[in-house]
């Protein structure tokens, strides 16, 4: 289909913050500069963007690869609106553990990384209109060679962020949908056990995942009951921050939805064992209720912090028809900081839902 794109703004912006000296050393400012333009590659169709991130500092920067632009996005790194309305992200939402050495990209002083990204492969750009695109990636676990972490005074990650790019998109793109489908690994046949569907799972995996579903149902029922009782104890404030009636109502509805989704017993919930990546699990938020479980899932405990059962709660919260959560931060420390600094965003963070449900160590 025909597309036209107009670049109305494309300058770069440097995002930084003065950080507190307590705890892990924090950088005084963010040396990463982000610039973004509409792709000019002759092989690209309009709707692709070129994103460049440059280390403008005098020290080496280490950044987890999934927080940088790549041809195949591993997280929701763009905020996109069409005619003022949010555009749906259709790529993978991944639960990760702590990054290991091979997971980092090392940027020397003055070095840049530049990637061309077909946004229509990961976002719904099928409707004609004016799109405003902003690259914004939380730099959790990013650090300088001198040891400082790229975090703000509140303890949250600094952001790698571009200025908004305005694009006019005309028509429906078919290539993006084809590319997204191509990234999905085919899985073996499906079996149904106790009302749960399993794709490509061995007998041992089916048994372990089935136990996880049972425990996840217990978690979701307990969390739903806590919120239905209008309890505002340390369990709520630790993971979702200061109380307001609106935010509390949102948390309550999220767990009503999570509980209803995980309780389905007609084969709607699918556990896909075809992932061999190092992370815990991932889902496509627009494709309920299929959960791809990966290597870290199998080595996780059944219950407790970052457990198999908690992972299923985390992933179930991502589906747009359930709670439509994002992955702003990972881990208990990051989730606690998010609840204090930005309770609204904590209600949009999948790990906060998982840790609230796991409740380990137990809070009232």
């Amino acid at each position: 289909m025909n597309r036209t794109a107009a670049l109305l703004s494309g300058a770069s912006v440097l995002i930084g913050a003065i950080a507190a000296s307590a705890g892990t050393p924090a950088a005084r400012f963010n040396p990463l500069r982000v610039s973004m333009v509409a792709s000019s590659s002759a092989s690209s169709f309009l709707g692709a963007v070129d994103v460049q991130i440059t280390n403008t500092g005098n020290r080496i920067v280490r950044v987890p690869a999934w927080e940088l632009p790549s041809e195949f996005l591993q997280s929701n790194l763009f905020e996109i609106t069409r005619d003022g309305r949010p555009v749906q992200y259709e790529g993978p939402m991944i639960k990760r553990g702590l990054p290991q050495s091979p997971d980092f990209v090392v940027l020397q002083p003055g070095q840049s990384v530049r990637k061309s990204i077909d946004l229509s492969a990961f976002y719904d750009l099928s409707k004609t209109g004016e799109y405003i695109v902003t690259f914004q990636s939380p730099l959790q676990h990013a650090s300088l060679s001198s040891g400082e972490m790229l975090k703000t005074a509140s303890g949250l990650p600094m952001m790698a962020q571009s200025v908004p790019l305005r694009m006019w998109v005309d028509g429906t793109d078919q290539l993006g949908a084809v590319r997204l489908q191509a990234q999905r690994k085919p899985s073996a046949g499906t079996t149904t056990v106790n009302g749960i569907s399993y794709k490509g799972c061995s007998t041992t995996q089916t048994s372990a995942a089935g136990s996880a579903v049972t425990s996840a149902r217990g978690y979701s029922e307990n969390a739903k009951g806590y919120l239905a009782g209008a309890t505002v104890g340390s369990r709520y404030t630790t993971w979702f921050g200061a109380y307001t009636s609106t935010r509390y109502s949102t948390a309550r509805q999220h767990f009503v939805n999570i509980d209803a989704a995980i309780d389905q017993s007609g084969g709607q919930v699918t556990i896909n064992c075809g992932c061999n990546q190092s992370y815990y699990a991932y889902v496509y938020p627009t494709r309920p209720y299929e959960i791809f479980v990966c290597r870290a899932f199998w080595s996780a405990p059944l219950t407790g912090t970052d457990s198999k059962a908690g992972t299923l709660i985390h992933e179930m919260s991502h589906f747009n028809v359930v709670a439509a959560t994002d992955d702003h931060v990972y881990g208990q420390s990051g989730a606690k900081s998010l609840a204090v600094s930005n309770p609204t965003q904590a209600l949009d963070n999948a790990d906060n839902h998982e840790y609230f449900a796991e409740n380990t160590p137990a809070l009232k």
Side-chain angles (χ1 to χ4, degrees):
M1 298 288 181
N2 292 329
R3 288 177 174 232
T4 57
L7 175 62
L8 303 183
S9 57
S12 58
V13 64
L14 185 63
I15 304 297
I18 303 300
S21 59
T24 306
R28 292 188 301 112
F29 71 97
N30 183 354
L32 297 183
R33 185 186 299 267
V34 184
S35 60
M36 181 171 61
V37 296
S39 177
S40 59
S41 171
S43 62
S44 298
F45 53 89
L46 298 176
V49 295
D50 291 335
V51 181
Q52 179 169 298
I53 297 184
T54 302
N55 177 8
T56 64
N58 57 9
R59 296 174 182 173
I60 295 171
V61 180
R62 297 171 70 245
V63 186
W66 53 82
E67 296 171 359
L68 296 174
S70 63
E71 292 180 0
F72 181 69
L73 293 183
Q74 299 184 54
S75 54
N76 182 8
L77 298 182
F78 293 83
E79 181 181 271
I80 304 179
T81 61
R82 177 184 58 82
D83 299 332
R85 297 180 179 179
V87 169
Q88 192 166 255
Y89 173 67
E90 299 176 333
M93 303 291 291
I94 301 170
K95 175 175 167 59
R96 306 178 184 279
L98 290 173
Q100 305 301 311
S101 295
D103 297 322
F104 286 91
V105 173
V106 176
L107 290 174
Q108 301 288 337
Q111 184 179 357
S112 298
V113 292
R114 183 184 179 94
K115 293 290 182 180
S116 181
I117 303 164
D118 171 14
L119 295 176
S120 70
F122 307 99
Y123 297 87
D124 181 8
L125 305 186
S126 61
K127 294 185 172 68
T128 297
E130 182 183 67
Y131 288 77
I132 300 178
V133 180
T134 306
F135 179 89
Q136 50 183 27
S137 174
L139 298 171
Q140 189 173 22
H141 305 301
S143 65
L144 305 179
S145 55
S146 51
E148 294 97 333
M149 304 298 294
L150 297 187
K151 62 182 182 180
T152 67
S154 64
L156 294 177
M158 291 181 178
M159 298 288 292
Q161 183 168 328
S162 72
V163 297
L165 170 69
R166 294 177 181 268
M167 303 173 63
W168 178 264
V169 177
D170 183 13
T172 302
D173 169 64
Q174 301 296 332
L175 180 58
V178 172
R179 287 185 58 186
L180 182 58
Q181 289 288 345
Q183 297 291 346
R184 295 172 183 164
K185 182 178 179 180
S187 56
T190 302
T191 60
T192 302
V193 179
N194 295 329
I196 302 298
S197 299
Y198 297 90
K199 284 187 180 180
C201 301
S202 67
T203 301
T204 300
Q205 288 174 326
T206 298
S207 176
S211 296
V213 170
T214 298
S215 295
R217 286 170 170 168
Y219 274 157
S220 65
E221 186 68 32
N222 177 271
K224 183 181 72 171
Y226 178 101
L227 295 165
T231 309
V232 186
S234 58
R235 179 179 178 183
Y236 176 84
T237 56
T238 295
W239 302 117
F240 294 128
Y243 171 85
T244 68
S245 59
T246 299
R247 288 198 294 261
Y248 197 91
S249 177
T250 297
R252 181 169 53 231
Q253 188 60 53
H254 281 184
F255 276 98
V256 166
N257 295 349
I258 290 170
D259 186 62
I262 198 70
D263 276 352
Q264 294 175 106
S265 59
Q268 300 94 333
V269 176
T270 299
I271 306 296
N272 190 316
C273 299
C275 172
N276 194 36
Q277 299 297 323
S278 61
Y279 28 80
Y280 285 86
Y282 69 94
V283 299
Y284 292 93
T286 58
R287 294 169 55 191
Y289 299 91
E290 185 172 16
I291 300 174
F292 297 77
V293 292
C294 308
R295 293 206 307 266
F297 177 86
W298 302 116
S299 59
L302 177 61
T303 57
T305 301
D306 291 315
S307 61
K308 290 184 180 73
T311 294
L312 297 183
I313 297 291
H314 174 116
E315 297 302 335
M316 194 62 77
S317 77
H318 278 319
F319 292 119
N320 290 346
V321 297
V322 177
T325 60
D326 207 329
D327 288 317
H328 299 287
V329 297
Y330 294 103
Q332 283 197 340
S333 177
K336 287 178 180 177
S337 294
L338 189 63
V340 172
S341 301
N342 194 333
T344 298
Q345 204 168 69
L347 281 167
D348 187 46
N349 193 59
D351 257 1
N352 287 70
H353 289 72
E354 175 178 344
Y355 297 136
F356 179 83
E358 290 173 337
N359 194 28
T360 306
L363 299 171
K364 293 183 178 181

